[in-house]
Amino acid sequence: MNEKRNIIITGAIVGIISVLLVKFGNPMNMGFCIACFIRDIAGGIGMHRAPIVQYIRPEIIGLVLGAFIISMKNREFQAKGGSSPFTRFVLGIVVMIGALMFLGCPLRMVLRLAGGDLNAILGIVGFVVGIFVGVFFLNKGFNLKRSYNLPKFEGYLFPIVNVGLFLLLLSGFSMLIFSEEGPGSMHAPIWIALFAGLIVGILAQKTRLCMVGGTRDMIMFKDNYLLAGFLAILVFAFIGNLIFGYFNPSFADQPVAHTDGLWNFLGMALVGWGSVLLGGCPLRQLILAGEGNADSSVTVMGSLVGAAIAHNFGLASSPAGATNNGKIAVLICFVLVLVVSLVNSEMLVNKKTLGKSKNC
């Protein structure tokens, strides 16, 4: 009961912080979006040249450092890795392409619905369908093999990089790029954003908050622990939006969103499936990276590259809708994820091998 209470409190705080970040300057329905903020960071360091989404988001840095600090305090920090790193890198790219088709990660999907964006309903349906597909392969023995203990410095390196990035942001380093208009130009003050990220990082590390894990665990084990956190974010963000007058229920004219239902569905289905294979949503990957998990650090770097690819090759959606390049990319990514799922599902591989042996 104490654990259930803690995850609900965590979800409530995340929902409230997300609305407050909008109040302090973040884009509407985007108080906290992992995919969007990683995309902005990719632009801020010059990996893509989309001028409206370029900014070093302190919230992401805060998430990593919050998870690092609390895991060190509780002696839960553990440097480990080596579990199919390149597959994880590629899946990080895939998940980001799906997220930018929908225009948001699973966390923003919930925040969009809490703000009245009804397009998020189709995203949620796709997300759940994708998780169901991922769970099917988990039940067929899908795994990316074991990880190994690594030197502690390997685990320290990702938090160190984030500290360095924050120092560059504070210094106004001339090589960084800052949007002058659009979502990238809209942001909370640096220290408020960092503090918000630290709080969410600490709470998410302690409660294992994961947007994918809640649905996955409910399907596999009938365990609603993580799902309770998911729902608490929705409820308290909804209440916050009502208080501040941000709630606007409709499909049309929603901030940084499009109304193409099919591709909202497919984008989040791809995110759900890919995240199940990775063992957690983009938020969870950042928390694990802060705890010393080098595999999650590789996944996050894949997401960073995926954001750059999406904007450099015209794959990312816009309020005008999904691009043709983006639609083709999502379909290719579905094929790629299917191949990864089949190749790494032990029961399916063993069954095929056994069939060949009998034929011989």
Side-chain angles (χ1 to χ4, degrees), residues 27-286:
M28 286 288 294
N29 291 353
M30 201 191 293
F32 226 123
C33 175
I34 308 306
C36 304
F37 290 0
I38 289 176
R39 171 204 62 197
D40 291 353
I41 291 173
I45 60 177
M47 292 177 68
H48 71 70
R49 296 291 173 173
I52 62 171
V53 284
Q54 296 173 309
Y55 179 64
I56 307 300
R57 294 281 180 180
E59 295 91 341
I60 297 295
I61 297 169
L63 280 174
V64 174
L65 297 183
F68 173 71
I69 291 167
I70 197 66
S71 65
M72 290 291 290
K73 177 181 179 298
N74 294 335
R75 298 182 179 180
E76 294 175 339
F77 182 90
Q78 184 180 7
K80 59 182 180 180
S83 169
S84 304
F86 192 66
T87 298
R88 292 180 183 275
F89 180 83
V90 171
L91 287 174
I93 294 173
V94 165
V95 167
M96 180 58 75
I97 289 173
L100 293 181
M101 170 58 73
F102 171 73
L103 290 176
C105 66
L107 177 55
R108 187 179 183 232
M109 175 184 70
V110 174
L111 297 177
R112 282 174 57 174
L113 183 59
D117 185 349
L118 301 181
N119 299 291
I121 295 173
L122 290 167
I124 290 173
V125 174
F127 185 60
V128 172
V129 169
I131 293 172
F132 263 102
V133 176
V135 167
F136 169 81
F137 286 104
L138 290 183
N139 288 331
K140 295 297 181 181
F142 177 88
N143 69 86
L144 292 176
K145 308 302 181 286
R146 61 165 295 186
S147 58
Y148 301 86
N149 291 332
L150 299 172
K152 281 192 174 181
F153 182 73
E154 188 72 22
Y156 294 152
L157 196 53
F158 192 71
I160 289 171
V161 168
N162 277 269
V163 170
L165 194 59
F166 185 68
L167 293 176
L168 288 177
L169 175 62
L170 286 179
S171 71
F173 182 53
S174 61
M175 298 300 289
L176 297 179
I177 306 171
F178 299 91
S179 294
E180 297 181 359
E181 59 181 359
S185 68
M186 304 168 68
H187 48 81
I190 290 174
W191 287 104
I192 290 177
L194 179 70
F195 186 61
L198 284 168
I199 293 174
V200 176
I202 289 169
L203 293 174
Q205 196 280 332
K206 287 180 68 67
T207 60
R208 299 180 292 107
L209 180 67
C210 179
M211 310 304 287
V212 167
T215 307
R216 177 202 61 204
D217 290 355
M218 191 65 190
I219 295 169
M220 295 184 73
F221 313 115
K222 309 303 179 187
D223 181 352
N224 62 5
Y225 166 73
L226 290 174
L227 192 60
F230 185 107
L231 295 174
I233 294 172
L234 175 62
V235 170
F236 281 85
F238 168 70
I239 293 170
N241 282 319
L242 284 178
I243 291 172
F244 288 111
Y246 297 153
F247 185 69
N248 175 33
S250 69
F251 282 97
D253 300 321
Q254 292 291 341
V256 197
H258 63 80
T259 58
D260 192 327
L262 174 63
W263 293 99
N264 280 326
F265 173 92
L266 290 175
M268 288 311 296
L270 184 60
V271 171
W273 187 356
S275 295
V276 168
L277 302 186
L278 285 165
C281 66
L283 169 64
R284 183 66 180 153
Q285 296 301 325
L286 283 168

